[in-house]
Amino acid sequence: MAEFLTDITTIRERARAEIEKGPITDAYGADLDRVIQVCNEALATELVCVLRYKRHYYTATGIQSEAVAQEFLEHAGEEQEHADKLAARIVQLGGEPDFNPDTLTKRSHSQYDASSGLIAMIKEDLVAERVAVATYTEIIQWLGDRDITTRRVFEELLAKEEEHADDMQSLLERIPATPPVPPAPPA
């Protein structure tokens, strides 16, 4: 069985010689600049999702809107947590999180939505969650074992995005496409 650990003296010397690199050591196997770029794209995606869910929360109307709006608000908070995790990881990697609103939607994987109907809002949120699931799955596969910490961040986000997609699908199944017509009052 081959030795797996580099000589500890060599590891210590490298750690001191490259102290300015913070957590990035010779063991880091990914393209650091590209990883930061991908994380910033995901950050933009999460921020657009926050904005979309917040808009849907405030503009949801109709007989079943209260419960759905609460789901939108919960998701907005969780998407903000995702954005915070990504921004923290970008900084940890030595990058700068890009919060520039002028380019936010261009960098985002998902789209902003201004639907006015409750069903349309849910459908657009489901589409956005499915986009996040697909892109985060690809990112996880791309990272592989070259950046395990960033991969774990995306694995956490993926699990939550799958849950969000399931929530939106469940809402679609519970809400009729057309509201029921109330019975006519007795004559």
Side-chain angles (χ1 to χ4, degrees), residues 5-18 26:
L5 188 61
T6 304
D7 171 51
I8 194 65
T9 304
T10 303
I11 290 174
R12 289 177 183 154
E13 288 170 359
R14 286 182 191 155
R16 287 188 185 284
E18 299 174 341
D26 289 343

Side-chain angles (χ1 to χ4, degrees), residues 153-165:
V153 168
F154 276 100
E155 288 171 345
E156 289 175 23
L157 301 184
L158 174 62
K160 204 60 165 173
E161 302 300 358
E162 288 175 343
E163 181 182 313
H164 289 175

Side-chain angles (χ1 to χ4, degrees), residues 32-50 52 79 82-83 86-87 89-90 93 96-100 103-111 128 131-132 135-136 138-139 142 150 154 157 161:
L32 183 59
D33 291 335
R34 181 69 177 125
V35 170
I36 291 170
Q37 179 186 1
V38 166
C39 286
N40 265 314
E41 291 169 3
L43 174 62
T45 301
E46 295 297 335
L47 293 170
V48 167
C49 287
V50 170
R52 187 187 59 256
E79 302 293 2
H82 297 176
L86 287 162
R89 182 60 181 159
I90 291 165
L93 291 171
E96 293 185 16
D98 187 349
F99 287 92
N100 184 343
T103 62
L104 198 60
T105 56
K106 292 179 183 98
R107 291 179 284 116
S108 173
H109 302 155
S110 64
Q111 296 174 306
V131 167
T135 58
Y136 292 177
E138 285 189 25
I139 291 168
W142 172 70
T150 302
F154 276 100
L157 301 184
E161 302 300 358

Side-chain angles (χ1 to χ4, degrees), residues 33-164:
D33 291 335
R34 181 69 177 125
V35 170
I36 291 170
Q37 179 186 1
V38 166
C39 286
N40 265 314
E41 291 169 3
L43 174 62
T45 301
E46 295 297 335
L47 293 170
V48 167
C49 287
V50 170
L51 296 172
R52 187 187 59 256
Y53 274 123
K54 282 284 197 166
R55 183 190 186 285
H56 290 173
Y57 167 72
Y58 285 110
T59 61
T61 59
I63 195 165
Q64 297 176 322
S65 65
E66 189 174 323
V68 175
Q70 286 306 310
E71 192 75 23
F72 291 158
L73 183 60
E74 179 184 324
H75 286 207
E78 291 170 348
E79 302 293 2
Q80 182 62 58
E81 289 174 11
H82 297 176
D84 293 341
K85 285 180 183 182
L86 287 162
R89 182 60 181 159
I90 291 165
V91 170
Q92 190 177 45
L93 291 171
E96 293 185 16
D98 187 349
F99 287 92
N100 184 343
D102 290 337
T103 62
L104 198 60
T105 56
K106 292 179 183 98
R107 291 179 284 116
S108 173
H109 302 155
S110 64
Q111 296 174 306
Y112 182 76
D113 176 67
S115 294
S116 58
L118 198 57
I119 298 291
M121 290 177 185
I122 296 168
K123 285 181 177 179
E124 286 304 313
D125 289 333
L126 178 54
V127 167
E129 297 297 352
R130 289 176 49 79
V131 167
V133 167
T135 58
Y136 292 177
T137 298
E138 285 189 25
I139 291 168
I140 290 164
Q141 292 167 350
W142 172 70
L143 287 167
D145 62 358
R146 293 181 304 277
D147 182 338
I148 295 166
T149 302
T150 302
R151 185 189 74 212
R152 282 197 328 253
V153 168
F154 276 100
E155 288 171 345
E156 289 175 23
L157 301 184
L158 174 62
K160 204 60 165 173
E161 302 300 358
E162 288 175 343
E163 181 182 313
H164 289 175

